Amino acid sequence: MKEAHFTVTGMSCAACRAAVTRVASHVEGVSAVDVDLLGGRMKAEYDETLTTPEAIAKAVCAVGYGAQEFDPRENTGRKLWEKRQKQSEEEISALKSRLVISLVLLVPLMYLSMGRHLGIGLPDVTIGDCDWPVDLMLLPLFAAPILWKNRKFFTSGFGALAHRNPNMDSLVALGSAASLVFGTYSYVRMIMAILGHDEAMRTHYSHSLYFESAAMILALVTLGKYLEARSKQKTTDAIGRLAQMAPKTAVIERDGAETEISADDIAIGDILVVRPGDILAVDGVIVSGHGSLDESSITGESLPVEKTVGDTVVSATRNQNGSFRFRATRVGTDTTLSQIIRLVDDAIGTKAPIARMADTISGIFVPAVIGIALITAAIWLLCGADAAFAVRNAVSVLVISCPCALGLATPVAIMVATGRAAKGGILVKSAQALELLGRVDTVVLDKTGTLTTGQIEVVSVAPAEGVEERRLLEVADMLERGSEHPLGQAVCRYTKEHNIAGVEPEAFEMIAGGGVVATSAGQTFLAGNARFLKERIADVELPEQEIEQLASEGRTPVLIAEMSGKYMGLLALADTPRETSKAAVEKMQEMGCRVVMLTGDHPETARFIADQVGVKEVLAELLPQDKESAVAKLQDSGRIVVMAGDGINDAPALTRADVGMAIGAGTDVAVDAADIVLVKNSLDDVATAIRLGRKTISNIHLSLFWAFFYNVIGIPIAAGALYPAFGLQLSPMIGSAAMSLSSVSVVLNALRLRGES
């Protein structure tokens, strides 16, 4: 299976998206299709032995839309943002031009059409013995430019009808065209009445000139689309701020001289020079100097991070203090910033399961509305109403119906929420993951590297009676200097932090699975576990009770003794819980989530860590496949599971979970297997992501409810349901205004997510 990406033009509403999805899905060999209505894109998974991207694009073009394949890697980072901004600005500019001209001409048009009925019309001009109202004669002249300026509705709407895929433009075009045709018919009959001196007929048809309705429908829908486009532009603010963080230029060092070049021209291996205040253009490794970097644009963490030789640095971070040179390791579309933007953009382009319901409804919505409009006209005619009344109600049905609100509810909310999450260092890879987060009721957490820091540290020092702590640490440093074991390296880090340095050993031996032996100043010392010391010093006395206590607490003791048999003391080491773990677990439990810890460690060690962070359920001594099975068992019991982990051994469980979360510092395998990446390495973000998912789903449900409610209530009123009892008839102009505002309200509701945390 392969994946192809296309730009799709001509889509205006959810019915269009449903049509494009349906057509592309029916191409032989295509297994999955995601159509992004907001971005005008489509992603298709296909079997290359059965079809090609060209065949998929041809099928979409055959039903009236444009489709062209593109490489998503060529448009990332700043280029992607600038391209989207340009498209958005061009759309807004075109809509603004249409709107201004429509509104300017609409004012005199409404005055001419409505003024006579309000007693403020222009005086009649007498031609011969016929009364000829100049204001009525001018109506077509003012309506024609509005219709022409907004002809896109007719070309798109009737084009979609011709391809048997009617959309929202089809409803608008039919409503406006019906008003125009009936108005033209009435206008001709009115002129015939004037020429025939039939005053009664002239008066009758003068009330059925729907030129202002035809023009007003188009003007109000254009106003709605303009407001909608302006609102949608705000939904990508978070991505825009990220993209704009990357500088357009950078200073590189070549042949001993510094040169300023375009960021797009930086190559892997180039040496870049960074001074205070500079923003990094690419990722790399520091080769000289040091700096204090503000990484909030990437991680969301406000505190600056000290960097020196050998440390990695990433694009879009700002150097606050110090100067350094670094070697570029990732450039262009491979930088951290570009990857984040691509992940967010891909998530926006995917379809959440909840959107399928709206798409299914949208696929039959427009044809159903056209049918309802025809039935409305027929019923009123059969009931004895005149043609003008029947047409007016049918047109109202056409223009008040709004499939756009249904289609926008999910993608706009997903776009805003994904951008909001990225701003806080939570990268969501798909809309499906975000939706599932809103339904999560069980959180499964790996221990090492997720609940804990993943780094062994000295947590306590216990010298034997008569031995000074400093002396014990000096011997420990001497013993572990040549060790490559994580425990030995942790001991050396601890002594270095406390400014303690032992002498260089005269002899050193490392025994696998046991410990180390070293000689200094003629004395031989040992460091290791209890079994190792007892094997080499028969009469050594060890604190057995203290050792057992440490083991029950999940701590590993490194015992130190002289070869002569004197026990000197011990250092207790452990992988300690993250500072945020306990508070994060409490938040998840307060949200009603069941929290389970999985680990390959000994049950006693696992239980000790679990008690420290507040986790009640623990599954220990698990292999990678056991972790995957544990997640599957929870799912089989009806739970919606999110799994957070950081290691290669977590990858099967991350993939199995409904939503997999990778702690940002984890392995590439874990990150690739996950649906969500937590850049800040904070377990707090698991709770934050779940909360955002729930608020997003709540937001979508609210928008869908009002979209359904609006159509269910609006269509019967437009059809004239209130006329028999209350004498109320909905004007097509009011219907078109209501339709436009319904779409805008959905976008504004989604924008509320920008303030969520």
Side-chain angles (χ1 to χ4, degrees), residues 85-104:
Q85 277 293 91
K86 184 179 179 181
Q87 291 174 342
S88 178
E89 288 169 1
E90 288 175 351
E91 179 188 7
I92 291 173
S93 178
L95 285 169
K96 185 177 181 180
S97 173
R98 286 164 50 188
L99 181 61
V100 169
I101 292 175
S102 297
L103 293 180
V104 167

Side-chain angles (χ1 to χ4, degrees), residues 102-168:
S102 297
L103 293 180
V104 167
L105 292 172
L106 197 60
V107 172
L109 178 62
M110 294 304 295
Y111 170 65
L112 292 172
S113 61
M114 305 300 294
R116 175 168 295 278
H117 303 294
L118 299 175
I120 56 174
L122 294 177
D124 292 350
V125 175
T126 302
I127 300 178
D129 55 355
C130 296
D131 293 332
W132 186 282
V134 173
D135 46 350
L136 295 182
M137 181 181 68
L138 293 175
L139 285 177
L141 298 180
F142 280 100
I146 298 176
L147 297 170
W148 175 255
K149 191 65 179 176
N150 293 285
R151 64 189 180 279
K152 185 177 183 295
F153 287 114
F154 297 107
T155 56
S156 171
F158 288 126
L161 275 174
H163 288 98
R164 292 181 295 179
N165 291 302
N167 55 24
M168 192 199 77

Side-chain angles (χ1 to χ4, degrees), residues 55 81 128 133 185 211 238 394 450 462 674 751:
W81 169 247
Y185 169 78
F211 295 119
T450 303
L751 286 172

Side-chain angles (χ1 to χ4, degrees), residues 399-415:
V399 298
I400 200 172
S401 308
C402 187
C404 266
L406 293 172
L408 288 172
T410 300
V412 173
I414 294 293
M415 175 180 282

Side-chain angles (χ1 to χ4, degrees), residues 369-389:
V369 168
I370 294 173
I372 292 171
L374 293 173
I375 292 171
T376 297
I379 289 175
W380 282 114
L381 289 172
L382 290 173
C383 290
D386 61 21
F389 186 91

Side-chain angles (χ1 to χ4, degrees), residues 430-726:
S430 70
Q432 181 175 0
L434 191 59
E435 180 183 333
L436 285 170
L437 269 180
R439 297 162 48 203
V440 161
D441 56 20
T442 303
V443 180
V444 174
L445 302 172
D446 172 52
K447 179 182 79 68
T448 305
T450 303
L451 280 165
T452 66
T453 61
Q455 185 174 26
I456 301 295
E457 298 175 358
V458 175
V459 293
S460 65
V461 179
E465 187 176 349
V467 179
E468 293 184 359
E469 182 175 318
R470 185 174 186 85
R471 172 59 180 164
L472 176 64
L473 291 174
E474 286 175 346
V475 173
D477 182 76
M478 182 270 297
L479 281 163
E480 300 291 2
R481 279 193 169 198
S483 174
E484 296 179 356
H485 194 279
L487 295 178
Q489 293 175 348
V491 169
C492 291
R493 283 197 305 271
Y494 183 82
T495 56
K496 183 178 180 180
E497 289 170 1
H498 289 76
N499 298 315
I500 294 173
V503 298
E504 197 71 33
E506 298 165 3
F508 173 84
E509 182 183 5
M510 183 172 180
I511 291 84
V516 294
V517 180
T519 302
S520 174
Q523 282 186 293
T524 301
F525 300 89
L526 299 89
N529 57 35
R531 179 178 56 80
F532 175 70
L533 264 63
K534 286 179 179 179
E535 286 176 354
R536 282 158 179 75
I537 311 173
D539 57 348
V540 66
E541 294 186 7
L542 302 177
E544 302 290 349
Q545 189 173 351
E546 186 176 359
I547 293 171
E548 290 179 6
Q549 178 65 27
L550 289 172
S552 68
E553 295 176 354
R555 301 184 179 187
T556 302
V558 174
L559 308 169
I560 298 174
E562 296 180 11
M563 185 63 80
S564 62
K566 180 183 178 181
Y567 169 69
M568 297 186 68
L570 64 81
L571 283 73
L573 292 89
D575 178 13
T576 57
R578 294 178 185 269
E579 293 180 3
T580 60
S581 291
K582 184 175 177 60
V585 169
E586 288 176 354
K587 286 180 183 177
M588 295 174 210
Q589 291 169 340
E590 288 171 2
M591 294 165 65
C593 291
R594 174 182 174 185
V595 181
V596 182
M597 186 179 85
L598 304 183
T599 179
D601 276 351
H602 189 275
E604 288 187 357
T605 302
R607 186 70 263 172
F608 180 75
I609 293 294
D611 290 341
Q612 284 185 292
V613 299
V615 176
K616 296 180 176 61
E617 293 185 60
V618 179
L619 297 176
E621 294 185 329
L622 301 180
L623 296 173
Q625 59 267 33
D626 298 328
K627 291 184 178 182
E628 190 266 349
S629 297
V631 171
K633 188 175 180 180
L634 287 167
Q635 290 173 320
D636 291 341
S637 66
R639 314 292 295 193
I640 305 297
V641 181
V642 60
M643 163 77 184
D646 77 319
I648 291 175
N649 64 337
D650 298 324
L654 288 172
T655 304
R656 166 64 67 179
D658 296 287
V659 180
M661 289 188 184
I663 300 294
T667 64
D668 288 341
V669 175
V671 171
D672 289 342
D675 302 296
I676 294 174
V677 179
L678 307 179
V679 178
K680 288 192 294 187
N681 301 327
S682 172
L683 203 62
D684 248 348
D685 286 343
V686 175
T688 300
I690 294 173
R691 188 184 306 111
L692 182 61
R694 290 181 177 181
K695 289 181 177 179
T696 302
I697 293 304
S698 176
N699 187 282
I700 292 171
H701 284 162
L702 180 62
S703 290
L704 286 175
F705 168 78
W706 283 114
F708 280 117
F709 181 80
Y710 160 83
N711 283 295
V712 168
I713 298 299
I715 291 176
I717 292 175
L722 299 179
Y723 187 80
F726 304 101

